[in-house]
Amino acid sequence: AKEEQRKAEVTTQDSSHRPATEVINSSGRGKEAIVPEEIKEWNWGAFLLNGFWGLGNSTYIGLLSFVPFTWTILDISFWITLIPVFVISVMLGFKGNEWAWRNKRWENIEHFQRVQRKWMQVGVLVIIATIVSLVSLVLLVPHSIKVLL
């Protein structure tokens, strides 16, 4: 009987105490969320895909990166509009992980990191595709104009 009581006490004790290494997931709780140290790092996905990343991660401050492009309607130089976009992108790169953790519910740290890694991969692919397109355009357009003339 004493052995059964001891087993019951151990089971009760084990189920009522969390291991010291377990991290409580407070993601999605806004300012109340505790941001894990593991994710306080640069976010390439947020930097490269700013506004789109913001939509996908419930971090709507990223949408500010679209505003300067509307300035071109007001006849403000396109190149000048890139300055605030760059500033917003850098800000998202530095703080994006923290904001995304606070603004959206995640299963755990690994899930968060996996999703952010995918954003980074897509961002890199978009940059590569953009560079290839621009280089192709520069190389092919002059040739095409010569052929037409």
Side-chain angles (χ1 to χ4, degrees):
K2 286 188 177 185
E3 181 64 25
E4 287 179 30
Q5 183 181 5
R6 191 187 66 73
K7 285 181 182 176
E9 287 174 2
V10 169
T11 304
T12 306
Q13 186 179 20
D14 289 346
S15 63
S16 65
H17 295 290
R18 287 193 175 106
T21 58
E22 185 178 333
V23 176
I24 297 172
N25 182 350
S26 64
S27 65
R29 294 186 187 167
K31 291 181 181 179
E32 294 176 14
I34 298 168
V35 180
E37 288 300 317
E38 299 96 314
I39 67 168
K40 290 183 179 179
E41 57 187 17
W42 179 262
N43 186 319
W44 281 106
F47 175 76
L48 296 171
L49 297 172
N50 42 53
F52 300 106
W53 177 90
L55 278 173
N57 288 277
S58 301
T59 305
Y60 302 114
I61 193 168
L63 295 175
L64 289 175
S65 64
F66 293 137
V67 173
F69 292 113
T70 62
W71 297 348
T72 57
I73 296 169
L74 302 173
D75 205 26
I76 296 174
S77 169
F78 173 76
W79 300 107
I80 292 174
T81 65
L82 291 181
I83 296 168
V85 171
F86 181 73
V87 169
I88 292 166
S89 295
V90 169
M91 191 173 66
L92 287 169
F94 277 116
K95 299 295 281 181
N97 279 348
E98 293 179 47
W99 291 337
W101 183 264
R102 292 179 189 280
N103 295 333
K104 187 174 179 178
R105 182 74 179 151
W106 302 93
E107 293 172 17
N108 51 41
I109 294 170
E110 293 77 22
H111 172 238
F112 177 84
Q113 290 173 326
R114 190 171 54 250
V115 170
Q116 298 310 315
R117 197 174 311 111
K118 288 185 194 265
W119 277 103
M120 186 251 327
Q121 291 166 345
V122 171
V124 169
L125 286 174
V126 167
I127 294 301
I128 290 170
T130 302
I131 292 169
V132 168
S133 298
L134 290 174
V135 168
S136 299
L137 191 65
V138 167
L139 295 175
L140 295 176
V141 168
H143 177 71
S144 301
I145 293 173
K146 287 179 186 175
V147 169
L148 290 174
L149 297 176

